[in-house]
Structures are given as C-alpha cells and as structure tokens.
Amino acid sequence: MQKRLIRDYSRARDRMDASGSSITIVHLASHFTAISLSTKMTTLVSSLESLVSSLVPSARGDRVLRDELVSHCRDILTSHIGQNQEPDLGYLSDQAKRHLLQTSPSGSNSLKFTNLLSRLLDQPVLSRKHASVLFLLSLATFTQTQSSASFLPSLAPPPPSRRPTTANPNGHVSPPRTPVSRGKPKAELLKEYRAKNGLSQLSEQLLLRDALYLLQGISGKYIRFSSQEGSEIDNTLVFVDDTKHIISAPTKALIHRLSEVGYLYIRVESYVRETEAAAAVGMIKQSLCYHLQAQLTEYYRLIAILETQMSSSTTWSEDTMSSNLVGHNSGEASVLTLRRLDVWINDWRLRMRMMSVCVEAARDTHGGALVNLIHGYADNGDPFVRKFTDQLLEEVSKPFFATLHKWLFSGELYDPFAEFFVALDQSMTQAQYAHPSPLAGGIGQPSADGAFGGDSEDILGLRESGLRLWETKYQFQKEMLPMFVGEVFGRKIFSTGKSLNFIRYSCHDSDWVITREKMSDTGGILKYSDIAGLERSIDAAYQVASQRLFEVFIGKFRLLDHLSALKNYLLLGHGDFADRLMEALGTSLARPANTLYRHNLTAHLDTALRSSNAIHDPLDVRRRLDARMLEYSHGEIGWDVFTLEYKVDAPIDTVLDPISMETYLKLFRHLWQMKRIEVALNAGWMRTVGGTRNFLRVPELEIEWHKVRIVMTEMIHFIRQMQAHCHLEVIECSWKILIDFLNKKEGDLDALLDAHQSYLDRMARKVLLLSSKTGKEETILSQVKEIFSTILQYREAVDNFYNYCLTESSRRDQELDVQRGVHTGRARHDETSNPLPGLLERLGEYGSSFTERAQTIVHHLQVHSDLDCRFLGVRLSFSDFYKSKRELAQAQKGGS
C-alpha cells in the first residue's frame, strides 16, 4: 500500500505542475475513496490528515493548508461523484423538453427530440443511454461567452484564464503558486536545435495566407501551382525552397488537402467562364452555370470571412504575446490555424468535388442527357451528396420543366437548342400550316415548330399524308429522357403533346378552347421536387388528350362510318350489293380490258348502289366509292383489272393511310375473284341440272354428266367453305375486336393506329392464308389462285360439253324425223371431226387437277401455324375425303 501511495504521489506532482492543486485534490480524494473502501478505516479525519501529509509535504508545516485540503476531500467524499444512480430518463427528457421550449417556443424542436429519443431507446447496441442523454443535456445547458468581434463561432478567443488564489487566516490573499518545471518539451528542444543550425519553422501565419490564396486558385509566396505541359489547369503543387525556413511533412500534407479545393475551384470557375463566353449554349447548361456561379459566390463569401478572421486572429495573437501573460498558450486555441481552416473548408471540399464531376460530365452532354446524368448521383447513401444533387437538379431542371409544360398542355415544342427528349424532324419544317382559329397568342399564324397539317395547303404547296406527319414530324429520343420521368411516362408525354398538336392543326378542332381549359385545370407547376405531382399531371393530361382525340375522330370525322363502308363495299360485307354489282358488270368484265371505259363502270356501280341496301348508307360515304381499272397489259380482260376504290382525306388518312388502302384493295380483289367463282359455279350448276332432260337423246353420256356433277359439287363445297372462312371466321371476328376497342376509347392515336393495323394484318393473314415461314408466305395463296383458274377452265369445258350434247341431241332428233318421214331440214354429220374425245379429256384433266390441288391445299392448311387456317383445312376435308382419295390413287398406281 505504501508503494502505491508513493506512486500516486509522483503522479499527483506531475498533474499539479500542469493544472494546479485542484486536480490533485480530486485525485487524492478518489484514491482515498478506494483506500477507505478496501481497508474500512474507522476514523475519516485522521486518515485524511495522514494522507494529505504524506502526499503534500508543504502541508505538514502549514496547518491552514492542511485543513483546507482535508475540508475539500471531505466535500468530495460526501458528494455523489462517481456513484451509479438509477437512470431516470423521464426526468432527463422533461428537463430537455423544458430547455428546448425556452429556446424554441414553436415546439418543433421538442417534437424532434421526442422522436429522436424514441429511436435511441429502440437501439439495442447502446447500453448507457441515460449517460448519453445526460451528456447532451449538459452540453445544451453549458453557456460560454463569445467575443463580439468574431466572425466564426468556433474561432472566438476564450476569456482570459484565471489563476486560483488562496487566503491565509489573516485574510491576505496569497499569490498563485508557480508550477515546478520538470524540463523543456521535445518540441522546444527541436526548435532550439534548428535555431542553432540556422533553420527555423516557417510561420504558420504565412502558410495560412498562402493557403487562402490556394483556395482561390492563386499561387502564394511560398506555395504555388505549377501547370504541366499541355494542360490548361494547374494541377501540381510546388513548395518554394528557402534556406532559412523549412516546412514540415505533416504541414505539407495538410496544405495538399487544402489545395485540392483550390484545384477543383479552378476547374469549376474555368468551365463557367468558358460556357458564358461560348455561343448557342443550351438553356439547361445556362441554368447549370447559374447555379454553379451562385455556389461560387457563397464560396467567395466564406473566403472573405476567413481572411477577415485571420487578420483579427493575427492581431489578437500579437497582442497576447506582447502582453507576456502566463496563460497565452490557452489563447492560441482560438486563432485560425491550418487545421481549423481544413475543418471549415471540409464541407466545401465535398461541394467542389460534386461540382467538378458535374462540370466534366457537362462538357460532353447537354439537355435531358445532362439532367439524367446529374440525377444518377441522387442515388447515393451520403446525405450530403444526395441533398446537394437534389438542390442542383431543382435549378438545372427548370428549363426542362418549362419546355415540358408547354409541350404537355399546349402541344407546342419550344426547344431551340435540341435539349428535350422530343425532337422535330428538320426535313418536315418546310410544311408550315396555318392555325385553324384566330385566337390570341399567335394562333392564326403559321406554326413556328412546323405543326401537323390538315386540308389547308401549305406555303410551298406540298401535301403530306396524315400518317407520315404523325409518325415522322416528332421523334422520341430515349437518350435525352431523364430517369426520374421514366420511359412509360415519357411515352405518355410524347403521345399527349403529339395528340394536342394533331388536334389543333390537323383536325381543326373548334372546341380546342374547351379542351385547353380542361387541361389547364389538371396542370400546375411542374418541378423536380414534386415527382408525384408530375406523374398525376401527366396521367390527367394524357387522359384528356386521348379522350378528345377519340371524340374528334369518331364524332366529328365519323371514322366508324368509313370503316364500316370499307367492310361493306371493299370486303363485300353487303351481300346484295356484291350480287347486284356482279350481275351488272358480269358481261362487261368478260371483254378485253382495252374495250372498257371508266364511266361505264361507274354507271354500273351506281346502279348496284341504288338497287341494294347500300342506298341507306350516308351520302358522303357513297360518294367516296368509285370504280376504276388497274394498269393492264395485252391479253388481259376486265376481271383482271377491275377494282373498287374508296377515297379518304385528312385527317382520316392518318388511320386509313395509302398502305392500309392497298391492303384493302388486295383483299377486295381476292374476295371479288372468289365471288366470281361462286357465281360461275352456281350458274353452271343450274344449267347442268336444269338441262338434264335435253340429254335423254344421248344416253351414252349420262355417266360423264354424273362425273361432271360430282366434280362441280366438290368445287362448290370448296368455294363456299372458303367464303365462310373469310367472312364469318375472319372478317366478322376481327371487326368485333376493332369495335370493342373503339367503344372503350382508351389509349392515344398510336393505339388506334395499332388496333386498325392489327385488324388489317389479321384479315390479310387469314383471308390470304399467308404462312409464317420466311420465303414461303404466299405458298398456299398461289395454290388457291391456281385452283381458281382450274375451276374457271373446268367451267368453260363444261359449257363446251353442254353445247356438244345439245348439238348431238338436235342431230339425233332430226334423224328420227327423217325415219318418220317428217322433213325438218337436212341433217349434216361429219364423221371425220368428232370433238367428244377432246372434251372428255379436258374435263378429266381439269377435274383431276382440281382434286390434286385441293389435296395440296388441305395438306398445307393442316400444318399451318394459325388455328383458324387449320380449322379451314378440317372443314374442306371434314370426313378425310381428300385423304382417302389420295390413298386410293396411290393404291391404283401401285397396282398398275
């Protein structure tokens, strides 16, 4: 125990030298507490006196000092220092709330403290939560006087230190005791060694002045920037050699850290200066430069404050050193030093890094791509980086949102520097169309952005189809779309603006004022900080524009009537109209194509319209229907070149574009050819069945007529199944899908175009029996065309055979009349030329050819990729008729 007291005594002497006797008293009291607890001393006062006498030799002869030390020890022992009390967080939280309410009467800080305290209590890692709250409360209630001349709070000089004094029993105040020096510190010894060798440490005030210069990108007296070859920015730090002064390595490292901010400042400031001097700079880049300049202005303000603080600190330090005060070392804790400068500049180091990164990225990007790149830094775990990026985006995205608002709510594209994700095709800018309404604000003048055009002739006399204007006038640029918008909403924005522009300039919507008022109610201030509001505005504008577009097309321009007319006329939906037209044009179309005239075809078409239910269709629809001939070559007849034509104008030609009308005409020619085959077979069947009794005179040909009827029955079954497939399974089902879409009125014009194109593609693929195999799309269609030609040839051969039978029957009647003695005319009989074998041979050849081609078509349909086409193959050979016929033919070939 004695050795321990001696060791504590030596430690106490060291502490007394540095901090005075108060720390020694606390140390003695704490050790005595440990001794008293271990040895259980009964007499407190005697123990304290012996301990004080052993540790403080001066107190042995000074009774007053010994009594004073013993009294302090007793006070410390009776206090609660070092005791573990039961944690009372409720009391501490009440004290903290009371203090916060005094400093902030609004109560917001108190609510924040309650939230933070609940989160602290939920943390399982911290064990001494009561001590943490007590420590924070002590810091909050601690008051410290500040100098009124200070500029930065943490750099304020502290109040002069006071030395403790003691009083003797007579009331005289004794001067403070001077601590005993144990030797010079190592730093002072090193300083003396360097002074002996003629070297001294460069003054920190001089280094601080140069550091402030470096922060502004300016070279100082002792430290300067040195640019490398081929580089415009100083990126190397050089310390000027001095034979009398040196700079330590830690100080150089600290200056290097400070110079990083200056280097980044040079990059940012040079970019701002170059951008401002450049021509044709985008608005987003201008906004970026404006925000960077505002940040640099705050940076200049901080540098000015630091320079002023450095000047005041230097003056205060000189006064303190000249006053020769004992406590001048404690005053050095408040002056501006390199380390404190590094602490103050640390926040700006992060800012400059972020601004430098944005500056380097902005050199190669612009517009929406630049906004997109800056937004990529918002997904960062560092709250400072995320907050700085959000503030930067809030300013930089203002031009983007201004352009977006104009496009989204008025359909106008104002983008002089090509920064928006919607781009105008420059090749279409020549087509300038006048606005339909003379409203204020420039409406009624030619569109500056080359808006969609309708029926009005443009200035240059050039007419563009509605579909080409819709698809090529404006283009969607995905690379310019900011990520915070998203591709889905970007497509909606693109479609909404195009729809509004189309409504205004192509549809000449007189109700545009009402539509624009509806959209102004849904719109508001678009900004980056309100992404949820932006999404709501986009959805509302998209719905209003799409609804109005459907109303204009279906209501004003009667799109549904035009689609119905195409289905009824070109797709032969009106059966009575097709029959009347076939009946009126049948004889004319059998003649050579060069003998037909368009006015005759038009007259027959008008006759068919008036004599069918088509007379009840709107007059405007019937006037658009016309008959014309395609380009013909030598040897072609009217059936090969005749077609119907349905004329459309803007803006209906956006949906019924020329390519779609070609598909309609292609379907019409196929269905018209099928109708021709049906009429020819019906007429041949009626003639064959009705003229059976005329052939009683030629009984040896009855079996041939039976074969003819069997073959014609196969042909009629084939053509009727084809017609049922085309009209019932394909056209009507596709029409039902299209009508359901139009009744929903959902989507934009692109959705309407896609629905109509799907309607046409489905009909063309199923009606024309197109295959999905590359290079073999029209294999079945070619077989169908060949079988149609075979049917017509067979029909012609049957007519020849019918004429031969009539002639032969008439000849045999005349022979009977001669035998009866009745003279009916001279019978002529040429034994040398008998056409019957040739007729029968052609009938057999065409019939066999039809059967083989039908078998081939059924075989291809059974392996077709489309279900409806496979079902057609089942209907054509529902009882495996052609399969058994093929097996029978193969067996006959094998037997022979």
Side-chain angles (χ1 to χ4, degrees):
M1 183 64 66
Q2 183 177 2
K3 293 181 179 180
R4 182 179 179 184
L5 290 175
I6 294 173
R7 185 169 60 253
D8 294 342
Y9 171 71
S10 61
R11 293 177 180 175
R13 286 179 59 88
D14 295 338
R15 296 186 180 182
M16 290 177 63
D17 294 340
S19 303
S21 62
S22 60
I23 298 180
T24 304
I25 295 172
V26 175
H27 184 69
L28 293 175
S30 61
H31 279 279
F32 181 79
T33 302
I35 297 172
S36 61
L37 292 175
S38 62
T39 59
K40 300 182 180 180
M41 299 180 64
T42 57
T43 305
L44 179 62
V45 177
S46 59
S47 300
L48 288 175
E49 289 180 353
S50 61
L51 181 62
V52 169
S53 299
S54 62
L55 296 179
V56 185
S58 60
R60 297 173 183 174
D62 192 347
R63 181 67 181 179
V64 177
L65 178 60
R66 184 171 66 254
D67 292 343
E68 182 181 358
L69 293 177
V70 170
S71 176
H72 279 292
C73 290
R74 292 181 61 185
D75 293 340
I76 293 174
L77 290 175
T78 56
S79 66
H80 298 285
I81 297 177
Q83 298 182 5
N84 294 328
Q85 298 180 357
E86 187 70 19
D88 188 3
L89 289 177
Y91 174 75
L92 288 179
S93 62
D94 292 340
Q95 292 292 331
K97 291 178 182 178
R98 189 178 297 108
H99 177 74
L100 292 175
L101 289 175
Q102 292 176 359
T103 56
S104 179
S106 62
S108 59
N109 292 336
S110 178
L111 293 176
K112 292 181 181 179
F113 172 76
T114 304
N115 184 22
L116 293 175
L117 180 60
S118 62
R119 294 171 60 183
L120 176 65
L121 296 178
D122 294 337
Q123 295 292 329
V125 179
L126 300 178
S127 59
R128 304 181 62 185
K129 302 173 183 176
H130 172 268
S132 302
V133 177
L134 179 61
F135 174 71
L136 294 176
L137 180 62
S138 301
L139 290 179
T141 56
F142 177 76
T143 57
Q144 180 179 359
T145 58
Q146 298 182 357
S147 175
S148 59
S150 63
F151 295 90
L152 299 176
S154 65
L155 298 180
S161 60
R162 297 181 179 179
R163 284 291 180 176
T165 57
T166 57
N168 55 19
N170 299 329
H172 298 284
V173 178
S174 61
R177 294 177 176 85
T178 303
V180 181
S181 175
R182 298 182 62 230
K184 296 181 180 180
K186 294 182 179 180
E188 187 175 352
L189 293 176
L190 182 60
K191 184 178 181 181
E192 292 177 358
Y193 172 78
R194 290 174 176 172
K196 185 183 299 184
N197 295 333
L199 298 176
S200 61
Q201 187 79 20
L202 189 62
S203 173
E204 188 173 6
Q205 294 298 326
L206 298 178
L207 294 176
L208 188 62
R209 172 65 64 182
D210 283 5
L212 290 177
Y213 286 152
L214 293 177
L215 292 177
Q216 303 173 61
I218 305 173
S219 297
K221 181 178 180 181
Y222 301 96
I223 310 162
R224 59 184 178 84
F225 288 111
S226 177
S227 60
Q228 297 180 352
E229 296 182 1
S231 176
E232 298 180 356
I233 302 178
D234 298 337
N235 53 10
T236 304
L237 198 63
V238 178
F239 294 89
V240 179
D241 296 333
D242 193 349
T243 57
K244 297 182 178 180
H245 302 88
I246 61 172
I247 302 175
S248 62
T251 304
K252 288 183 179 181
L254 184 58
I255 292 176
H256 272 288
R257 282 176 49 84
L258 294 173
S259 64
E260 177 192 0
V261 182
Y263 171 71
L264 297 176
Y265 162 79
I266 294 174
R267 296 175 65 179
V268 175
E269 195 270 339
S270 61
Y271 172 78
V272 173
R273 185 175 61 255
E274 292 172 2
T275 305
E276 291 178 350
V281 179
M283 292 186 292
I284 293 181
K285 274 194 176 181
Q286 294 178 18
S287 180
L288 174 62
C289 291
Y290 173 79
H291 182 75
L292 294 178
Q293 188 62 51
Q295 292 291 323
L296 293 180
T297 302
E298 294 184 7
Y299 180 70
Y300 298 151
R301 187 179 295 110
L302 175 64
I303 296 297
I305 293 174
L306 290 174
E307 288 182 346
T308 306
Q309 184 64 35
M310 185 192 66
S311 301
S312 61
S313 299
T314 303
T315 305
W316 183 86
S317 178
E318 292 176 354
D319 295 342
T320 303
M321 294 183 64
S322 62
S323 62
N324 244 355
L325 295 176
V326 179
H328 72 278
N329 290 332
S330 62
E332 293 179 0
S334 64
V335 299
L336 181 63
T337 63
L338 290 175
R339 294 188 179 277
R340 291 188 177 88
L341 179 61
D342 181 65
V343 173
W344 277 100
I345 215 68
N346 186 52
D347 180 71
W348 276 99
R349 181 180 292 107
L350 298 178
R351 290 195 192 183
M352 286 294 180
R353 287 175 181 174
M354 288 300 302
M355 289 190 288
S356 177
V357 170
C358 295
V359 162
E360 292 302 318
R363 296 183 185 274
D364 300 327
T365 57
H366 72 288
L370 178 58
V371 176
N372 198 12
L373 187 142
I374 298 175
H375 177 72
Y377 299 110
D379 298 332
N380 195 293
D382 190 347
F384 175 83
V385 175
R386 188 165 58 251
K387 180 180 178 181
F388 179 83
T389 306
D390 291 342
Q391 293 176 353
L392 179 60
L393 277 175
E394 187 70 27
E395 296 295 331
V396 172
S397 60
K398 285 182 178 179
F400 170 80
F401 282 107
T403 306
L404 175 62
H405 191 280
K406 193 173 184 64
W407 172 258
L408 187 62
F409 297 111
S410 63
E412 296 286 346
L413 179 62
Y414 179 72
D415 188 22
F417 301 103
E419 298 177 299
F420 202 52
F421 63 90
V422 178
L424 174 66
D425 187 1
Q426 298 299 327
S427 62
M428 305 290 290
T429 54
Q430 295 180 352
Q432 296 182 351
Y433 297 91
H435 290 251
S437 57
L439 298 177
I443 306 176
Q445 303 296 328
S447 176
D449 61 347
F452 292 112
D455 294 335
S456 302
E457 294 184 356
D458 56 83
I459 298 175
L460 301 178
L462 301 176
R463 290 290 303 276
E464 298 288 351
S465 65
L467 181 63
R468 184 169 185 269
L469 287 172
W470 171 261
E471 291 181 345
T472 61
K473 175 66 71 174
Y474 298 104
Q475 300 294 330
F476 182 82
Q477 295 180 323
K478 185 177 180 180
E479 65 276 4
M480 303 294 288
L481 178 66
M483 288 188 296
F484 59 83
V485 176
E487 186 175 0
V488 175
F489 284 99
R491 295 287 180 181
K492 285 187 177 181
I493 294 171
F494 177 66
S495 175
T496 302
K498 281 208 309 180
S499 299
L500 297 180
N501 198 294
F502 190 83
I503 290 173
R504 295 183 65 177
Y505 301 110
S506 289
C507 299
H508 303 291
D509 187 8
S510 58
D511 298 331
W512 163 245
V513 177
I514 301 176
T515 306
R516 187 170 59 177
E517 289 177 356
K518 289 182 180 179
M519 303 197 64
S520 63
D521 294 338
T522 60
I525 299 177
L526 305 179
K527 54 185 179 179
Y528 173 76
S529 58
D530 188 15
I531 299 299
L534 172 64
E535 293 177 355
R536 290 193 299 269
S537 300
I538 292 173
D539 287 333
Y542 178 77
Q543 292 177 2
V544 172
S546 301
Q547 185 73 17
R548 184 58 187 171
L549 190 64
F550 272 89
E551 292 176 358
V552 169
F553 266 98
I554 297 177
K556 181 178 180 180
F557 295 102
R558 308 181 69 85
L559 174 63
L560 194 57
D561 291 346
H562 296 296
L563 293 175
S564 300
L566 289 171
K567 172 179 174 290
N568 295 331
Y569 298 138
L570 268 65
L571 302 182
L572 306 183
H574 276 327
D576 56 342
F577 164 76
D579 292 336
R580 297 294 181 271
L581 184 63
M582 184 68 67
E583 180 181 351
L585 293 174
T587 56
S588 300
L589 296 181
R591 295 182 297 177
N594 55 3
T595 61
L596 299 178
Y597 299 96
R598 186 171 183 179
H599 63 274
N600 293 332
L601 300 178
T602 306
H604 291 310
L605 174 63
D606 186 66
T607 301
L609 289 173
R610 294 178 181 274
S611 60
S612 63
N613 286 330
I615 193 63
H616 302 293
D617 289 341
L619 181 60
D620 178 65
V621 171
R622 288 187 280 116
R623 285 178 177 176
R624 296 175 181 271
L625 190 63
D626 193 9
R628 67 183 180 92
M629 293 184 299
L630 303 175
E631 294 183 3
Y632 56 86
S633 59
H634 180 71
E636 292 184 336
I637 61 175
W639 291 106
D640 300 325
V641 297
F642 171 77
T643 185
L644 290 181
E645 182 182 19
Y646 191 83
K647 300 178 181 179
V648 294
D649 50 14
I652 298 299
D653 61 346
T654 306
V655 180
L656 303 177
D657 59 287
I659 299 178
S660 299
M661 297 307 296
E662 289 180 4
T663 305
Y664 277 111
L665 294 180
K666 190 174 182 180
L667 290 172
F668 167 76
R669 296 190 62 190
H670 182 75
L671 296 173
W672 181 251
Q673 186 74 6
M674 200 179 299
K675 188 69 176 179
R676 175 193 176 189
I677 300 298
E678 180 199 9
V679 173
L681 288 176
N682 290 338
W685 178 260
M686 295 297 296
R687 187 178 185 185
T688 301
V689 175
T692 303
R693 58 186 177 180
N694 297 328
F695 310 143
L696 295 178
R697 303 294 183 183
V698 195
E700 66 275 10
L701 296 180
E702 180 61 28
I703 188 172
E704 300 298 334
W705 279 111
H706 180 67
K707 293 179 181 179
V708 169
R709 287 192 292 269
I710 291 177
V711 174
M712 291 191 68
T713 303
E714 293 182 21
M715 293 180 176
I716 292 174
H717 171 75
F718 179 85
I719 201 66
R720 287 184 177 177
Q721 293 302 322
M722 291 287 294
Q723 286 183 320
H725 165 74
C726 294
H727 290 282
L728 301 179
E729 301 293 336
V730 178
I731 297 178
E732 291 299 332
C733 293
S734 302
W735 177 256
K736 179 65 168 52
I737 296 174
L738 180 61
I739 291 300
D740 290 342
F741 172 81
L742 293 176
N743 292 334
K744 291 180 181 178
K745 297 182 180 180
E746 295 179 355
D748 54 359
L749 184 56
D750 284 326
L752 178 59
L753 294 175
D754 292 340
H756 180 256
Q757 189 63 39
S758 299
Y759 165 73
L760 272 182
D761 292 343
R762 188 174 188 271
M763 289 192 302
R765 185 176 64 256
K766 294 178 182 291
V767 170
L768 302 178
L769 303 177
L770 301 179
S771 176
S772 59
K773 297 180 180 180
T774 306
K776 299 181 180 180
E777 292 84 358
E778 297 186 356
T779 301
I780 303 179
L781 180 61
S782 301
Q783 296 289 337
V784 171
K785 291 181 178 179
E786 291 177 1
I787 206 172
F788 285 170
S789 177
T790 301
I791 292 174
L792 292 176
Q793 291 173 355
Y794 187 83
R795 171 69 171 79
E796 184 179 358
V798 170
D799 289 342
N800 294 333
F801 183 57
Y802 180 84
N803 294 331
Y804 170 79
C805 291
L806 287 180
T807 304
E808 184 65 19
S809 176
S810 177
R811 186 185 65 79
R812 292 186 181 186
D813 287 341
Q814 290 179 0
E815 290 180 354
L816 292 176
D817 290 342
V818 171
Q819 293 176 3
R820 291 195 299 266
V822 179
H823 182 72
T824 58
R826 185 177 179 180
R828 292 177 297 177
H829 181 67
D830 190 1
E831 296 289 345
T832 60
S833 59
N834 186 9
L836 181 59
L839 293 175
L840 295 179
E841 182 182 358
R842 284 195 295 274
L843 288 174
E845 180 184 351
Y846 295 147
S848 299
S849 177
F850 170 80
T851 302
E852 292 176 359
R853 297 188 186 279
Q855 292 174 359
T856 304
I857 292 174
V858 170
H859 175 70
H860 283 90
L861 290 176
Q862 289 176 350
V863 296
H864 200 277
S865 59
D866 188 81
L867 181 60
D868 292 334
C869 294
R870 292 201 300 269
F871 185 64
L872 173 62
V874 174
R875 294 172 61 179
L876 291 175
S877 181
F878 64 92
S879 61
D880 290 338
F881 173 76
Y882 291 107
K883 181 179 180 181
S884 59
K885 205 168 185 179
R886 174 181 292 181
E887 293 176 353
L888 180 61
Q890 292 177 355
Q892 291 177 355
K893 289 181 180 180
S896 61

